[in-house]
Amino acid sequence: MQSSVGVCSSSSSNWLFRFSAAAASLLPSSLTFPISKSSSSSSLITLSTPSLIPSPLRSTASASDSSHVTVMASNDAQDPRLPRISSAIRVIPDFPKPGIMFQDITTLLLDTKAFKDTIDLFVERYRDQNISVVAGVEARGFIFGPPIALAIGAKFVPMRKPNKLPGEVISEEYSLEYGTDKMEMHVGAVQAGDRALVIDDLIATGGTLCAAIKLLERVGAEVVECACVIELPELKGREKLTGKPLFVLVKGA
Amino acid sequence: MFSKHNAPKAEDPRLKAITEAIRVVPHFPKQGIMFQDITTLLLDHKVFKDTIDIFVDRYKDMGISIVAGVEARGFFFGPSIALAIGSKFVPLRKPRKLPGRNITGAWYLGEVISEKYVLEYGSDCLEMHVGAVKPGDKAIVIDDLVATGGTLSAAISLLERGGAEVVECACVIGLSHFKDDCSVNGKPLYFLVEPRLQ
């Protein structure tokens, strides 16, 4: 399996989409951008033929302009469902603290077609891979993991913060920016020989996913792949996955 | 199953397996509580699917536009139901998880509203994005279990403050004292099974 297929950069939500005159002048004239103020799916960026792909245009948020504009680019033919998924994700600057561009997937969950497409993209990829376990990382992994597990016939196993799971658990400590946290999994939920996916909404530094991989491997499962809706590539989380492949739908700035 | 309205006459044959798939963990999170652990249900694909199917069959023709799931175990069930019936999924979250205003004070989808509530053991606070719901929305609330009804009451309150109409609250497990009345704060309550004792 490829490690990523047809990704596109996340854009700000349609509600915030502001396109300055200066930015527009930098675009090739062959590219047209029908920008609609509605939140419907038609308000998407239309690309011209693949040979005319521009390099991504980004404007970083300034103190006075809190919108974040990223033009979608693709390196190869991408799944036509991806643009709507990408634009359904809301980017919030400086949350929860300054410098963080928060990728809010709750707006994706409000777009029934985009949410369904998101699940379908994962299901299509994994349904014939004999996956027996979908491990979802608390809490946003609990939103995507169970529908995928149900569709592909796998068990769903929650990977939780400390002291939430009742009964016997195994724990794995992992690093945060400041300090550490712990992830727990139920003893007996996963067996040796299980083929597992790890699901979360987003991969940043990769610390959380790495902890999940370790827990699954400690009980003898084979981690087939990690799957996220969004990757923040600058944080290089992909390199922390102890060699496991990563599949994502959207790359965020 | 237990409901105020439209309860099926015969016992659904899927319910026995659902009950048996739930694990009881004694004295968690504290002495005296027989914790109803639904994670074992999630490990049984057929039983998990049956659970979702029962809720989907009930709600699919009721014009429900919002499925609100209570963090975190409501997230196990809510999204699959929402996807199957074509509704939006709205997470009702613990404090400070949903992004609201950032430090510059800029508005996005709308503010995050909070509702405090008392638990079976302790107290907590539930939050929702106001912009996620609008007047005219018909909502159901999903959680794994209803004990005192405190959490569901907070959820109902949040949705109503956002302008939605709460049609019903739905849980996998309901404590026995809910069987007779099947309601929470005047809203209908629907649940599949009672708690296991051991």
mmCIF file of all heavy atoms in Angstrom, chain A residues 44-87:
data_model
loop_
_atom_site.group_PDB
_atom_site.id
_atom_site.type_symbol
_atom_site.label_atom_id
_atom_site.label_comp_id
_atom_site.label_asym_id
_atom_site.label_seq_id
_atom_site.Cartn_x
_atom_site.Cartn_y
_atom_site.Cartn_z
ATOM 1 N N LEU A 44 -15.972 24.961 -4.304
ATOM 2 C CA LEU A 44 -14.651 24.359 -4.195
ATOM 3 C C LEU A 44 -13.737 24.854 -5.292
ATOM 4 O O LEU A 44 -14.152 25.258 -6.350
ATOM 5 C CB LEU A 44 -14.759 22.837 -4.284
ATOM 6 C CG LEU A 44 -15.361 22.215 -3.034
ATOM 7 C CD1 LEU A 44 -15.565 20.750 -3.235
ATOM 8 C CD2 LEU A 44 -14.482 22.469 -1.825
ATOM 9 N N ILE A 45 -12.498 24.751 -4.995
ATOM 10 C CA ILE A 45 -11.471 25.151 -5.941
ATOM 11 C C ILE A 45 -11.434 24.136 -7.071
ATOM 12 O O ILE A 45 -11.374 22.939 -6.845
ATOM 13 C CB ILE A 45 -10.122 25.195 -5.224
ATOM 14 C CG1 ILE A 45 -10.180 26.250 -4.118
ATOM 15 C CG2 ILE A 45 -9.014 25.477 -6.209
ATOM 16 C CD1 ILE A 45 -9.087 26.123 -3.114
ATOM 17 N N THR A 46 -11.486 24.638 -8.305
ATOM 18 C CA THR A 46 -11.412 23.758 -9.465
ATOM 19 C C THR A 46 -10.020 23.825 -10.050
ATOM 20 O O THR A 46 -9.521 24.901 -10.350
ATOM 21 C CB THR A 46 -12.398 24.210 -10.560
ATOM 22 O OG1 THR A 46 -13.633 24.537 -9.946
ATOM 23 C CG2 THR A 46 -12.596 23.118 -11.576
ATOM 24 N N LEU A 47 -9.387 22.692 -10.204
ATOM 25 C CA LEU A 47 -8.059 22.681 -10.803
ATOM 26 C C LEU A 47 -8.164 22.521 -12.307
ATOM 27 O O LEU A 47 -9.070 21.893 -12.817
ATOM 28 C CB LEU A 47 -7.240 21.522 -10.256
ATOM 29 C CG LEU A 47 -6.769 21.655 -8.821
ATOM 30 C CD1 LEU A 47 -5.960 20.435 -8.457
ATOM 31 C CD2 LEU A 47 -5.940 22.910 -8.631
ATOM 32 N N SER A 48 -7.234 23.104 -13.002
ATOM 33 C CA SER A 48 -7.126 22.852 -14.437
ATOM 34 C C SER A 48 -6.428 21.508 -14.624
ATOM 35 O O SER A 48 -6.244 20.770 -13.680
ATOM 36 C CB SER A 48 -6.332 23.967 -15.101
ATOM 37 O OG SER A 48 -5.074 24.075 -14.466
ATOM 38 N N THR A 49 -6.023 21.182 -15.817
ATOM 39 C CA THR A 49 -5.427 19.867 -16.076
ATOM 40 C C THR A 49 -4.154 19.689 -15.253
ATOM 41 O O THR A 49 -3.481 20.653 -14.917
ATOM 42 C CB THR A 49 -5.083 19.695 -17.564
ATOM 43 O OG1 THR A 49 -4.178 20.740 -17.922
ATOM 44 C CG2 THR A 49 -6.327 19.789 -18.427
ATOM 45 N N PRO A 50 -3.821 18.457 -14.920
ATOM 46 C CA PRO A 50 -2.684 18.191 -14.027
ATOM 47 C C PRO A 50 -1.378 18.828 -14.479
ATOM 48 O O PRO A 50 -0.527 19.149 -13.665
ATOM 49 C CB PRO A 50 -2.575 16.659 -14.031
ATOM 50 C CG PRO A 50 -3.969 16.205 -14.326
ATOM 51 C CD PRO A 50 -4.563 17.235 -15.223
ATOM 52 N N SER A 51 -1.184 19.059 -15.734
ATOM 53 C CA SER A 51 0.092 19.616 -16.174
ATOM 54 C C SER A 51 0.244 21.078 -15.792
ATOM 55 O O SER A 51 1.320 21.648 -15.904
ATOM 56 C CB SER A 51 0.228 19.482 -17.695
ATOM 57 O OG SER A 51 -0.828 20.174 -18.316
ATOM 58 N N LEU A 52 -0.826 21.720 -15.346
ATOM 59 C CA LEU A 52 -0.747 23.136 -15.018
ATOM 60 C C LEU A 52 -0.860 23.367 -13.515
ATOM 61 O O LEU A 52 -1.343 24.396 -13.080
ATOM 62 C CB LEU A 52 -1.873 23.905 -15.742
ATOM 63 C CG LEU A 52 -1.773 23.875 -17.260
ATOM 64 C CD1 LEU A 52 -3.024 24.447 -17.892
ATOM 65 C CD2 LEU A 52 -0.556 24.663 -17.727
ATOM 66 N N ILE A 53 -0.441 22.386 -12.726
ATOM 67 C CA ILE A 53 -0.570 22.510 -11.274
ATOM 68 C C ILE A 53 0.347 23.608 -10.765
ATOM 69 O O ILE A 53 1.542 23.595 -11.018
ATOM 70 C CB ILE A 53 -0.169 21.184 -10.569
ATOM 71 C CG1 ILE A 53 -1.016 20.036 -11.093
ATOM 72 C CG2 ILE A 53 -0.310 21.322 -9.067
ATOM 73 C CD1 ILE A 53 -2.459 20.122 -10.754
ATOM 74 N N PRO A 54 -0.170 24.571 -10.036
ATOM 75 C CA PRO A 54 0.705 25.602 -9.454
ATOM 76 C C PRO A 54 1.330 25.086 -8.165
ATOM 77 O O PRO A 54 0.867 24.117 -7.598
ATOM 78 C CB PRO A 54 -0.275 26.732 -9.137
ATOM 79 C CG PRO A 54 -1.548 26.012 -8.830
ATOM 80 C CD PRO A 54 -1.566 24.773 -9.693
ATOM 81 N N SER A 55 2.369 25.755 -7.719
ATOM 82 C CA SER A 55 2.902 25.404 -6.407
ATOM 83 C C SER A 55 1.962 25.964 -5.351
ATOM 84 O O SER A 55 1.266 26.935 -5.605
ATOM 85 C CB SER A 55 4.299 25.980 -6.224
ATOM 86 O OG SER A 55 4.264 27.372 -6.414
ATOM 87 N N PRO A 56 1.925 25.339 -4.195
ATOM 88 C CA PRO A 56 0.960 25.793 -3.193
ATOM 89 C C PRO A 56 1.202 27.232 -2.786
ATOM 90 O O PRO A 56 2.334 27.652 -2.624
ATOM 91 C CB PRO A 56 1.215 24.860 -1.999
ATOM 92 C CG PRO A 56 1.953 23.703 -2.561
ATOM 93 C CD PRO A 56 2.695 24.192 -3.743
ATOM 94 N N LEU A 57 0.136 27.964 -2.649
ATOM 95 C CA LEU A 57 0.226 29.353 -2.248
ATOM 96 C C LEU A 57 -0.250 29.429 -0.811
ATOM 97 O O LEU A 57 -1.330 28.977 -0.500
ATOM 98 C CB LEU A 57 -0.693 30.201 -3.138
ATOM 99 C CG LEU A 57 -0.717 31.689 -2.844
ATOM 100 C CD1 LEU A 57 0.555 32.337 -3.363
ATOM 101 C CD2 LEU A 57 -1.914 32.321 -3.535
ATOM 102 N N ARG A 58 0.542 29.948 0.075
ATOM 103 C CA ARG A 58 0.107 30.050 1.465
ATOM 104 C C ARG A 58 0.284 31.457 1.956
ATOM 105 O O ARG A 58 1.285 32.093 1.682
ATOM 106 C CB ARG A 58 0.961 29.145 2.358
ATOM 107 C CG ARG A 58 0.682 27.691 2.127
ATOM 108 C CD ARG A 58 1.352 26.865 3.185
ATOM 109 N NE ARG A 58 1.427 25.489 2.702
ATOM 110 C CZ ARG A 58 2.412 24.652 2.947
ATOM 111 N NH1 ARG A 58 3.416 25.060 3.681
ATOM 112 N NH2 ARG A 58 2.416 23.443 2.496
ATOM 113 N N SER A 59 -0.658 31.925 2.693
ATOM 114 C CA SER A 59 -0.446 33.178 3.406
ATOM 115 C C SER A 59 -0.530 32.860 4.886
ATOM 116 O O SER A 59 -1.493 32.292 5.349
ATOM 117 C CB SER A 59 -1.507 34.208 3.012
ATOM 118 O OG SER A 59 -2.766 33.816 3.460
ATOM 119 N N THR A 60 0.489 33.163 5.603
ATOM 120 C CA THR A 60 0.456 32.883 7.038
ATOM 121 C C THR A 60 -0.353 33.942 7.747
ATOM 122 O O THR A 60 -0.433 35.081 7.312
ATOM 123 C CB THR A 60 1.870 32.859 7.624
ATOM 124 O OG1 THR A 60 2.557 34.029 7.189
ATOM 125 C CG2 THR A 60 2.623 31.633 7.139
ATOM 126 N N ALA A 61 -0.965 33.539 8.821
ATOM 127 C CA ALA A 61 -1.834 34.469 9.551
ATOM 128 C C ALA A 61 -0.989 35.573 10.169
ATOM 129 O O ALA A 61 0.046 35.330 10.761
ATOM 130 C CB ALA A 61 -2.595 33.723 10.631
ATOM 131 N N SER A 62 -1.439 36.791 10.002
ATOM 132 C CA SER A 62 -0.783 37.898 10.689
ATOM 133 C C SER A 62 -1.665 38.299 11.860
ATOM 134 O O SER A 62 -2.782 37.815 11.995
ATOM 135 C CB SER A 62 -0.612 39.084 9.735
ATOM 136 O OG SER A 62 -1.892 39.563 9.374
ATOM 137 N N ALA A 63 -1.158 39.177 12.664
ATOM 138 C CA ALA A 63 -1.914 39.545 13.862
ATOM 139 C C ALA A 63 -3.264 40.138 13.511
ATOM 140 O O ALA A 63 -4.252 39.936 14.192
ATOM 141 C CB ALA A 63 -1.105 40.532 14.695
ATOM 142 N N SER A 64 -3.319 40.871 12.375
ATOM 143 C CA SER A 64 -4.566 41.554 12.055
ATOM 144 C C SER A 64 -5.465 40.712 11.158
ATOM 145 O O SER A 64 -6.634 40.979 11.014
ATOM 146 C CB SER A 64 -4.259 42.885 11.366
ATOM 147 O OG SER A 64 -3.477 42.630 10.210
ATOM 148 N N ASP A 65 -4.922 39.699 10.530
ATOM 149 C CA ASP A 65 -5.685 38.896 9.579
ATOM 150 C C ASP A 65 -5.668 37.454 10.058
ATOM 151 O O ASP A 65 -4.677 36.754 9.902
ATOM 152 C CB ASP A 65 -5.052 39.024 8.188
ATOM 153 C CG ASP A 65 -5.746 38.115 7.162
ATOM 154 O OD1 ASP A 65 -6.721 37.430 7.542
ATOM 155 O OD2 ASP A 65 -5.305 38.108 6.014
ATOM 156 N N SER A 66 -6.756 37.033 10.644
ATOM 157 C CA SER A 66 -6.729 35.705 11.242
ATOM 158 C C SER A 66 -7.191 34.602 10.293
ATOM 159 O O SER A 66 -7.316 33.477 10.682
ATOM 160 C CB SER A 66 -7.585 35.707 12.508
ATOM 161 O OG SER A 66 -8.893 36.092 12.162
ATOM 162 N N SER A 67 -7.436 34.937 9.028
ATOM 163 C CA SER A 67 -7.802 33.854 8.111
ATOM 164 C C SER A 67 -6.542 33.186 7.572
ATOM 165 O O SER A 67 -5.475 33.786 7.540
ATOM 166 C CB SER A 67 -8.622 34.395 6.940
ATOM 167 O OG SER A 67 -7.795 35.152 6.086
ATOM 168 N N HIS A 68 -6.667 31.977 7.174
ATOM 169 C CA HIS A 68 -5.499 31.253 6.674
ATOM 170 C C HIS A 68 -5.875 30.653 5.339
ATOM 171 O O HIS A 68 -6.797 29.863 5.253
ATOM 172 C CB HIS A 68 -5.120 30.161 7.674
ATOM 173 C CG HIS A 68 -3.907 29.400 7.258
ATOM 174 N ND1 HIS A 68 -2.634 29.858 7.483
ATOM 175 C CD2 HIS A 68 -3.774 28.237 6.601
ATOM 176 C CE1 HIS A 68 -1.775 28.988 7.006
ATOM 177 N NE2 HIS A 68 -2.430 27.990 6.478
ATOM 178 N N VAL A 69 -5.203 31.072 4.283
ATOM 179 C CA VAL A 69 -5.563 30.659 2.935
ATOM 180 C C VAL A 69 -4.528 29.700 2.383
ATOM 181 O O VAL A 69 -3.350 30.018 2.339
ATOM 182 C CB VAL A 69 -5.642 31.899 2.006
ATOM 183 C CG1 VAL A 69 -5.954 31.471 0.593
ATOM 184 C CG2 VAL A 69 -6.697 32.857 2.517
ATOM 185 N N THR A 70 -4.972 28.524 2.030
ATOM 186 C CA THR A 70 -4.043 27.588 1.399
ATOM 187 C C THR A 70 -4.675 27.074 0.122
ATOM 188 O O THR A 70 -5.787 26.564 0.138
ATOM 189 C CB THR A 70 -3.770 26.395 2.334
ATOM 190 O OG1 THR A 70 -3.343 26.882 3.581
ATOM 191 C CG2 THR A 70 -2.725 25.486 1.743
ATOM 192 N N VAL A 71 -3.981 27.236 -0.968
ATOM 193 C CA VAL A 71 -4.491 26.733 -2.237
ATOM 194 C C VAL A 71 -4.159 25.257 -2.355
ATOM 195 O O VAL A 71 -3.055 24.827 -2.083
ATOM 196 C CB VAL A 71 -3.862 27.529 -3.403
ATOM 197 C CG1 VAL A 71 -4.111 26.826 -4.725
ATOM 198 C CG2 VAL A 71 -4.415 28.930 -3.435
ATOM 199 N N MET A 72 -5.122 24.502 -2.735
ATOM 200 C CA MET A 72 -4.929 23.065 -2.873
ATOM 201 C C MET A 72 -4.078 22.760 -4.087
ATOM 202 O O MET A 72 -4.242 23.342 -5.134
ATOM 203 C CB MET A 72 -6.302 22.429 -3.040
ATOM 204 C CG MET A 72 -6.300 20.942 -3.138
ATOM 205 S SD MET A 72 -7.988 20.377 -3.148
ATOM 206 C CE MET A 72 -8.511 20.976 -4.723
ATOM 207 N N ALA A 73 -3.181 21.835 -3.921
ATOM 208 C CA ALA A 73 -2.402 21.360 -5.066
ATOM 209 C C ALA A 73 -2.343 19.858 -5.007
ATOM 210 O O ALA A 73 -2.466 19.262 -3.951
ATOM 211 C CB ALA A 73 -0.989 21.933 -5.007
ATOM 212 N N SER A 74 -2.201 19.237 -6.110
ATOM 213 C CA SER A 74 -2.075 17.781 -6.070
ATOM 214 C C SER A 74 -0.934 17.351 -6.972
ATOM 215 O O SER A 74 -0.625 18.010 -7.953
ATOM 216 C CB SER A 74 -3.361 17.114 -6.530
ATOM 217 O OG SER A 74 -3.535 17.293 -7.909
ATOM 218 N N ASN A 75 -0.290 16.291 -6.582
ATOM 219 C CA ASN A 75 0.838 15.804 -7.370
ATOM 220 C C ASN A 75 0.396 14.777 -8.400
ATOM 221 O O ASN A 75 1.090 14.518 -9.338
ATOM 222 C CB ASN A 75 1.894 15.172 -6.457
ATOM 223 C CG ASN A 75 2.421 16.183 -5.480
ATOM 224 O OD1 ASN A 75 2.644 17.327 -5.842
ATOM 225 N ND2 ASN A 75 2.581 15.791 -4.240
ATOM 226 N N ASP A 76 -0.749 14.180 -8.167
ATOM 227 C CA ASP A 76 -1.237 13.204 -9.126
ATOM 228 C C ASP A 76 -2.759 13.252 -9.092
ATOM 229 O O ASP A 76 -3.339 13.971 -8.322
ATOM 230 C CB ASP A 76 -0.719 11.801 -8.783
ATOM 231 C CG ASP A 76 -0.840 11.507 -7.300
ATOM 232 O OD1 ASP A 76 -1.942 11.649 -6.742
ATOM 233 O OD2 ASP A 76 0.192 11.178 -6.700
ATOM 234 N N ALA A 77 -3.386 12.487 -9.926
ATOM 235 C CA ALA A 77 -4.845 12.483 -9.957
ATOM 236 C C ALA A 77 -5.354 12.107 -8.586
ATOM 237 O O ALA A 77 -4.966 11.096 -8.023
ATOM 238 C CB ALA A 77 -5.321 11.474 -10.992
ATOM 239 N N GLN A 78 -6.191 12.933 -8.027
ATOM 240 C CA GLN A 78 -6.628 12.629 -6.678
ATOM 241 C C GLN A 78 -8.101 12.291 -6.655
ATOM 242 O O GLN A 78 -8.852 12.644 -7.551
ATOM 243 C CB GLN A 78 -6.326 13.793 -5.750
ATOM 244 C CG GLN A 78 -7.117 15.035 -6.084
ATOM 245 C CD GLN A 78 -6.816 16.150 -5.107
ATOM 246 O OE1 GLN A 78 -6.013 15.995 -4.190
ATOM 247 N NE2 GLN A 78 -7.455 17.270 -5.294
ATOM 248 N N ASP A 79 -8.488 11.632 -5.603
ATOM 249 C CA ASP A 79 -9.870 11.224 -5.453
ATOM 250 C C ASP A 79 -10.753 12.467 -5.437
ATOM 251 O O ASP A 79 -10.489 13.420 -4.699
ATOM 252 C CB ASP A 79 -10.020 10.425 -4.156
ATOM 253 C CG ASP A 79 -11.362 9.739 -4.084
ATOM 254 O OD1 ASP A 79 -12.370 10.458 -3.909
ATOM 255 O OD2 ASP A 79 -11.402 8.510 -4.208
ATOM 256 N N PRO A 80 -11.821 12.476 -6.237
ATOM 257 C CA PRO A 80 -12.661 13.681 -6.331
ATOM 258 C C PRO A 80 -13.396 14.023 -5.041
ATOM 259 O O PRO A 80 -13.968 15.121 -4.934
ATOM 260 C CB PRO A 80 -13.663 13.317 -7.443
ATOM 261 C CG PRO A 80 -13.639 11.832 -7.542
ATOM 262 C CD PRO A 80 -12.277 11.409 -7.151
ATOM 263 N N ARG A 81 -13.391 13.108 -4.076
ATOM 264 C CA ARG A 81 -14.056 13.409 -2.807
ATOM 265 C C ARG A 81 -13.181 14.261 -1.884
ATOM 266 O O ARG A 81 -13.675 14.865 -0.934
ATOM 267 C CB ARG A 81 -14.429 12.093 -2.112
ATOM 268 C CG ARG A 81 -15.488 11.296 -2.859
ATOM 269 C CD ARG A 81 -15.649 9.895 -2.331
ATOM 270 N NE ARG A 81 -14.550 9.024 -2.749
ATOM 271 C CZ ARG A 81 -14.495 7.723 -2.521
ATOM 272 N NH1 ARG A 81 -15.480 7.118 -1.885
ATOM 273 N NH2 ARG A 81 -13.464 7.007 -2.927
ATOM 274 N N LEU A 82 -11.887 14.316 -2.152
ATOM 275 C CA LEU A 82 -10.972 14.968 -1.217
ATOM 276 C C LEU A 82 -11.153 16.478 -1.072
ATOM 277 O O LEU A 82 -11.045 17.008 0.035
ATOM 278 C CB LEU A 82 -9.522 14.650 -1.588
ATOM 279 C CG LEU A 82 -9.079 13.214 -1.284
ATOM 280 C CD1 LEU A 82 -7.693 12.975 -1.847
ATOM 281 C CD2 LEU A 82 -9.098 12.935 0.206
ATOM 282 N N PRO A 83 -11.415 17.212 -2.141
ATOM 283 C CA PRO A 83 -11.554 18.663 -1.962
ATOM 284 C C PRO A 83 -12.646 19.043 -0.977
ATOM 285 O O PRO A 83 -12.467 19.937 -0.142
ATOM 286 C CB PRO A 83 -11.877 19.169 -3.373
ATOM 287 C CG PRO A 83 -11.288 18.159 -4.280
ATOM 288 C CD PRO A 83 -11.430 16.837 -3.584
ATOM 289 N N ARG A 84 -13.757 18.361 -1.055
ATOM 290 C CA ARG A 84 -14.842 18.706 -0.135
ATOM 291 C C ARG A 84 -14.472 18.365 1.302
ATOM 292 O O ARG A 84 -14.791 19.109 2.240
ATOM 293 C CB ARG A 84 -16.120 17.962 -0.538
ATOM 294 C CG ARG A 84 -17.289 18.304 0.362
ATOM 295 C CD ARG A 84 -18.586 17.765 -0.179
ATOM 296 N NE ARG A 84 -19.686 18.041 0.732
ATOM 297 C CZ ARG A 84 -20.947 18.147 0.358
ATOM 298 N NH1 ARG A 84 -21.270 18.002 -0.915
ATOM 299 N NH2 ARG A 84 -21.893 18.386 1.254
ATOM 300 N N ILE A 85 -13.788 17.227 1.479
ATOM 301 C CA ILE A 85 -13.334 16.840 2.815
ATOM 302 C C ILE A 85 -12.367 17.893 3.356
ATOM 303 O O ILE A 85 -12.494 18.366 4.488
ATOM 304 C CB ILE A 85 -12.660 15.451 2.761
ATOM 305 C CG1 ILE A 85 -13.697 14.366 2.464
ATOM 306 C CG2 ILE A 85 -11.919 15.160 4.071
ATOM 307 C CD1 ILE A 85 -13.103 13.008 2.134
ATOM 308 N N SER A 86 -11.428 18.282 2.513
ATOM 309 C CA SER A 86 -10.433 19.261 2.932
ATOM 310 C C SER A 86 -11.068 20.580 3.338
ATOM 311 O O SER A 86 -10.740 21.164 4.378
ATOM 312 C CB SER A 86 -9.454 19.481 1.791
ATOM 313 O OG SER A 86 -8.532 20.472 2.134
ATOM 314 N N SER A 87 -11.996 21.052 2.526
ATOM 315 C CA SER A 87 -12.568 22.359 2.834
ATOM 316 C C SER A 87 -13.567 22.293 3.973
ATOM 317 O O SER A 87 -13.942 23.322 4.526
ATOM 318 C CB SER A 87 -13.192 22.987 1.588
ATOM 319 O OG SER A 87 -14.376 22.338 1.254
#
